[in-house]
Amino acid sequence: MRDTALADLRVVLLRGLAGALGNRGRADDAFLEDIAQESLVKILDHLDSFRGQSRFVSWAISIAVRSAISELRRRRWKDVSLEGAAEEDRASHDPSDDPLTRPQVLVERKAILQLLERLIENELTDKQRTALRAELGGMPLEEIARRTGSNRNAIYKLTHDARKRLKQALESAGYSAADVCAVFSC
Amino acid sequence: MELTPDHARVLVTMLTKTQEHELYCDDCLCQLATFVEHSLSGHSFCEAMARIQQHLDDCNECHEEYEMLRDALRALGEFHCPDQGKS
């Protein structure tokens, strides 16, 4: 009976994963099967942690989705270092993207850019600076954690503390985040 | 490292949304399945769920996981959402 239940759950996981990943074009059948099998093991290992706050299927699918997304992110970023993340993103930026920007706005942007660089350099710890730069380059927190021997939750806390410091320093320099947003058309 | 205007735009948007006290990823993720059920069923949110929403607005990574979980549960036909167009 247990084998039947596991087989049924496997089918549910595969359908759910296909729904989550299929229209994003990010996974083939072999990948889905691997993740489903891996998730079945995790679900069985963590059955005691199911509290009934959500439906069992929702809880089980959330484990499968997390496994899938974690693996996809690992594959996407496996050849990119922390320092490389920011540089890779910078290389794709074309300064001439917005030819209609008024010269005055460009001058303001340059001044604020220099201020932000100075604040990042002076206000943050080395760990905060490294994590934030990688995050700005698009690297997922999970991947930052992997490279620094930490975990995603701790990296979120690290970057949250960094953001609070920068926000405060920006305000001390006479700028509100909202004002700066307006200059950069956020 | 030299910031690009795109970096600055992303950074300042993040700073605008930064709160003194925020929910971290672990607490968000352990309630994500319940949150997705609420959003797919059109139920109103209690305060705890509102904090989840706030974290999802700030954390791209958790937001992506929310979207995928939502799509997975929709694919299973587990919920009948009154407004399928909502993200």
Side-chain angles (χ1 to χ4, degrees):
Chain A
M1 187 168 168
R2 179 180 139 118
D3 287 344
T4 306
L6 284 175
D8 289 345
L9 183 56
R10 173 186 159 274
V11 170
V12 168
L13 294 181
L14 284 172
R15 273 177 54 205
L17 286 170
L21 299 172
N23 61 359
R24 289 176 167 85
R26 294 169 76 174
D28 56 21
D29 288 348
F31 177 82
L32 296 182
E33 185 63 52
D34 285 347
I35 294 296
Q37 293 296 334
E38 182 186 312
S39 302
L40 281 173
V41 173
K42 287 182 181 174
I43 289 163
L44 287 174
D45 283 348
H46 292 94
L47 267 179
D48 287 347
S49 69
F50 175 59
R51 295 276 176 266
Q53 289 175 318
S54 65
R55 297 183 189 182
F56 178 77
V57 165
S58 305
W59 177 78
I61 288 282
S62 72
I63 290 174
V65 163
R66 196 157 312 150
S67 293
I69 204 170
S70 186
E71 177 59 19
L72 286 170
R73 284 173 182 155
R74 190 194 67 78
R75 289 183 184 186
R76 158 66 182 88
W77 291 92
K78 65 181 172 65
D79 295 324
V80 182
S81 66
L82 280 175
E83 297 74 22
E87 291 302 312
E88 193 173 281
D89 187 60
R90 189 156 73 94
S92 67
H93 170 73
D94 182 357
S96 63
D97 270 352
D98 192 359
L100 298 180
T101 304
R102 292 180 291 120
Q104 174 60 25
V105 172
L106 290 175
V107 168
E108 278 182 86
R109 283 184 184 174
K110 188 171 177 182
I112 292 173
L113 271 175
Q114 288 172 343
L115 171 63
L116 285 171
E117 283 165 8
R118 204 162 57 245
L119 292 179
I120 289 172
E121 198 56 41
N122 296 338
E123 298 294 325
L124 304 185
T125 64
D126 287 345
K127 283 185 180 177
Q128 287 172 338
R129 196 178 309 120
T130 302
L132 186 68
R133 283 175 177 164
E135 189 182 8
L136 289 177
M139 182 174 273
L141 301 186
E142 195 170 359
E143 291 303 308
I144 297 172
R146 202 192 301 275
R147 284 155 183 72
T148 56
S150 183
N151 63 69
R152 174 168 157 184
N153 203 58
I155 297 297
Y156 186 91
K157 183 183 184 311
L158 188 72
T159 56
H160 176 228
D161 288 343
R163 284 186 277 121
K164 283 195 294 184
R165 278 198 191 190
L166 286 178
K167 187 174 181 178
Q168 201 168 22
L170 203 58
E171 286 166 2
S172 297
Y175 293 89
S176 73
D179 291 339
V180 176
C181 240
V183 172
F184 283 93
S185 307
C186 295
Chain B
M1 166 195 145
E2 214 175 283
L3 284 178
T4 66
D6 281 344
H7 285 152
R9 196 171 287 119
V10 169
L11 176 58
V12 176
T13 303
M14 285 161 64
L15 296 185
T16 306
K17 292 195 274 186
T18 294
Q19 310 271 331
E20 182 61 32
H21 303 289
E22 292 183 3
L23 200 69
Y24 294 158
C25 294
D26 280 0
D27 288 332
C28 172
L29 292 173
C30 78
Q31 297 183 70
L32 196 63
T34 309
F35 180 85
V36 172
E37 287 180 348
H38 273 279
S39 65
L40 286 176
S41 301
H43 293 158
S44 61
F45 289 167
C46 64
E47 192 181 313
M49 294 292 114
R51 294 194 71 207
I52 303 279
Q53 178 71 68
Q54 190 177 62
H55 180 86
L56 294 178
D57 286 343
D58 290 340
C59 182
N60 290 334
E61 215 157 318
C62 288
H63 193 269
E64 185 180 15
E65 195 161 326
Y66 154 74
E67 286 184 329
M68 286 177 62
L69 181 55
R70 180 201 61 197
D71 290 348
L73 292 180
R74 270 186 186 154
L76 289 172
E78 287 283 304
F79 296 89
H80 300 286
C81 177
D83 183 355
Q84 292 283 346
K86 271 186 187 169
S87 60

